[in-house]
Amino acid sequence: MFHSCKPCRAHQNNSRDRSRPRSSVGRALAEGVTKFCHNFRDDKNHFFLQVCEPRETYQDVYRDVDGLYCGVFFTEKNIRSAMSYSPRVGDVLIVSYPKCGTTWIQHIVCNIFHDGAPPGTFLDIMRLTPFLEVVGAEGVPATSQPGTIKTHLPFNKHRYSVKAKYIYITRNPYDCCVSYYYHTKLFPAYCFKEGTFEQFFQMFVEGKVDFGDYFEHVLSWYNYRNENNVLFVTYEQLKKDTPGMVLKIADFLGKEQYGDKLRQRPEILAKILNATSIESMRKLNPSVAKQLASTFPDPEHVVRGASRSLAKKTTQGDFVRKGIVGDWRDHFSLEKVARMKERIALKTAGTDVMELWKDVGLP
C-alpha cells in the first residue's frame, strides 16, 4: 500500500512554474519525485526492523553481503538490488567512498539541473538523487527520462554502463578517515556514540567499515578515470577552485545545455555557488532527524521492546561538518601517521593514485 506524500519544494516549484522551460533531465527529476517518495515510505517498516535489531557492540553492526562489507543501515535486499541495477541511457551516477564529498556533488548537480534553485530539505535531496543502496533498484524513479543516482558501490560491485555518466569524487585518506569517524558517531544504528578515534582508525585501516577498504574502492574507479563517461574529481580540487570545478561538472553533464549557459549567465553560477556552500548545505542539518522521524513510522509499532531505546535516539552532530582540507592534523598522532603511511604503501603499490594529493601537505 502506498502512502500519500507531500511533494518537496523543488517538485512544487516545477509544477507551478509552467511557463519556465525545463531540460529533459529536469523534467525527469520532477516527474520521478512522487514515485520515489512512495517507494521510500512503503519500505519503511522493513528498513526500521533491520536497523533497530538489538546489537551488543559496534563490531556487531557490520556484515558481508555478497562480498560487500556494510552495516545494518543497509538492508541485504536493497544492497543486492543495488548491485543488480543496470544504468539507463542518460543516468548520472554520483559515486564515492563514504565521506569524500558525495553530498557536495549531489547539491552541485541538483543546482545545475535546476538553474541554482536549491532543494528545500534534506529529504528533497534524497528524492532528487536517490541513494541506490538504501532504496534498491526498485526505488529509482522509473521515468521516461533517467535522472541522478547516488551510490557508494565500488566498481566491481556495480553494473558499469557506457550509456550512463559517472561523477566519482574522492578525498585524501587522512581527512576521509576523520570525517568518517564523526559520521559513524552521528548515527545511533552504528552503536558508536562512545567510540574513540583510536577504535575507528583501526576499523578504517582494516577496511572494516561501510563499503569496505578505502583504497580498494578508490583504485577500483581510478582505473577508469580516463573513460569518456567518467569524471574523476577530488574533494581538494573542488575546495581549491569551486567555480572552476562547477563549470567542469556542468560541461560534463552537457556543455551546450549547462556549461555554456553558466558562462553566459554568471548570475546562475553565482546562485549555484551560494546554494552549494558549506554554510547553505549545513542549514539543512537541523531538520534531518525531524524529517527522518516523519518519514519512518513510530518505532514502537515496528520493533521489539528491547530495541526501542535505540530506535528513539536521534542523530548527534552535523551531517555536513567542517568541510575543510587538513582536519586530520588535529586527530592523527605520529604513530597513526606511521600506520596510515604503511597502509598506503601496501595498498597503492604500483599505482600513482596518491599523486592526486601531492600538493595538499600530506605526510
Side-chain angles (χ1 to χ4, degrees):
M1 176 180 179
F2 284 153
H3 302 265
S4 61
C5 175
K6 182 178 180 180
C8 68
R9 183 183 300 176
H11 188 225
Q12 290 174 325
N13 289 343
N14 282 332
S15 298
R16 286 196 297 264
D17 193 0
R18 303 290 185 183
S19 62
R20 179 184 175 186
R22 291 181 295 179
S23 68
S24 59
V25 177
R27 286 195 301 272
L29 288 172
E31 292 165 359
V33 165
T34 302
K35 187 175 189 301
F36 167 66
C37 187
H38 285 166
N39 289 345
F40 186 67
R41 293 172 68 91
D42 196 47
D43 195 40
K44 60 191 177 181
N45 285 12
H46 183 206
F47 178 88
F48 240 115
L49 279 168
Q50 188 157 346
V51 168
C52 296
E53 187 73 19
R55 285 167 173 81
E56 295 295 328
T57 68
Y58 63 87
Q59 290 99 331
D60 301 321
V61 167
Y62 302 94
R63 81 284 200 219
D64 183 287
V65 180
D66 297 346
L68 183 70
Y69 200 77
C70 54
V72 296
F73 205 80
F74 305 93
T75 67
E76 293 186 12
K77 171 189 173 183
N78 285 344
I79 285 287
R80 293 190 174 101
S81 177
M83 291 180 183
S84 71
Y85 179 73
S86 296
R88 302 159 296 180
V89 175
D91 270 355
V92 177
L93 287 95
I94 298 170
V95 192
S96 76
Y97 187 78
K99 307 314 296 177
C100 287
T102 328
T103 301
W104 200 359
I105 294 293
Q106 285 178 269
H107 280 260
I108 289 172
V109 171
C110 283
N111 275 273
I112 289 173
F113 283 157
H114 292 89
D115 292 341
T121 67
F122 177 79
L123 287 182
D124 289 347
I125 283 288
M126 295 177 71
R127 296 183 184 106
L128 293 172
T129 56
F131 191 172
L132 191 57
E133 293 86 87
V134 169
V135 303
E138 297 79 8
V140 177
T143 61
S144 57
Q145 296 292 334
T148 310
I149 302 165
K150 165 187 171 178
T151 179
H152 287 317
L153 291 178
F155 187 89
N156 64 319
K157 296 299 180 182
H158 170 72
R159 291 189 177 181
Y160 173 80
S161 172
V162 296
K163 300 176 182 179
K165 290 186 177 183
Y166 298 86
I167 302 175
Y168 186 90
I169 184 166
T170 187
R171 189 180 194 178
N172 78 76
Y174 295 86
D175 280 334
C176 175
C177 179
V178 170
S179 183
Y180 210 167
Y181 162 65
Y182 286 104
H183 174 86
T184 303
K185 289 176 71 71
L186 177 67
F187 291 98
Y190 287 115
C191 302
F192 202 72
K193 181 180 179 181
E194 305 302 325
T196 66
F197 183 64
E198 172 64 36
Q199 291 170 322
F200 185 81
F201 175 79
Q202 188 63 35
M203 294 161 60
F204 184 85
V205 296
E206 292 178 355
K208 299 300 183 181
V209 291
D210 271 338
F211 300 96
D213 186 89
Y214 162 91
F215 299 99
E216 292 176 5
H217 195 292
V218 173
L219 285 170
S220 76
W221 283 95
Y222 186 69
N223 292 333
Y224 293 85
R225 66 192 182 281
N226 294 322
E227 296 297 319
N228 291 333
N229 64 327
V230 176
L231 178 62
F232 195 99
V233 301
T234 70
Y235 186 92
E236 292 78 10
Q237 289 174 322
L238 191 55
K239 191 71 178 177
K240 182 178 181 180
D241 180 16
T242 307
M245 291 304 295
V246 168
L247 288 173
K248 187 172 184 177
I249 292 169
D251 286 341
F252 177 73
L253 295 173
K255 187 176 186 302
E256 293 183 3
Q257 189 172 7
Y258 301 111
D260 290 348
K261 180 169 65 175
L262 295 187
R263 292 179 178 87
Q264 295 163 6
R265 299 185 60 185
E267 71 277 8
I268 297 180
L269 176 59
K271 287 174 61 179
I272 292 173
L273 294 174
N274 178 67
T276 59
S277 68
I278 296 297
E279 294 74 19
S280 294
M281 292 188 294
R282 190 178 287 130
K283 289 179 181 178
L284 298 180
N285 291 343
S287 62
V288 170
K290 181 178 179 181
Q291 291 174 47
L292 288 177
S294 66
T295 301
F296 297 115
D298 182 352
E300 293 274 353
H301 299 300
V302 295
V303 297
R304 298 197 302 272
S307 59
R308 287 174 184 169
S309 60
L310 172 62
K312 288 182 177 179
K313 292 178 181 177
T314 59
T315 57
Q316 304 292 321
D318 289 329
F319 190 76
V320 177
R321 202 171 62 90
K322 288 187 177 181
I324 63 175
V325 176
D327 194 34
W328 64 269
R329 293 184 178 89
D330 293 330
H331 297 78
F332 272 71
S333 63
L334 292 177
E335 184 265 341
K336 287 186 177 62
V337 168
R339 288 166 63 190
M340 179 65 88
K341 291 176 71 173
E342 180 180 329
R343 185 69 173 177
I344 290 172
L346 174 67
K347 301 298 292 189
T348 68
T351 78
D352 62 352
V353 67
M354 291 305 295
E355 289 295 301
L356 292 170
W357 301 288
K358 62 182 179 181
D359 298 324
V360 298
L362 296 186

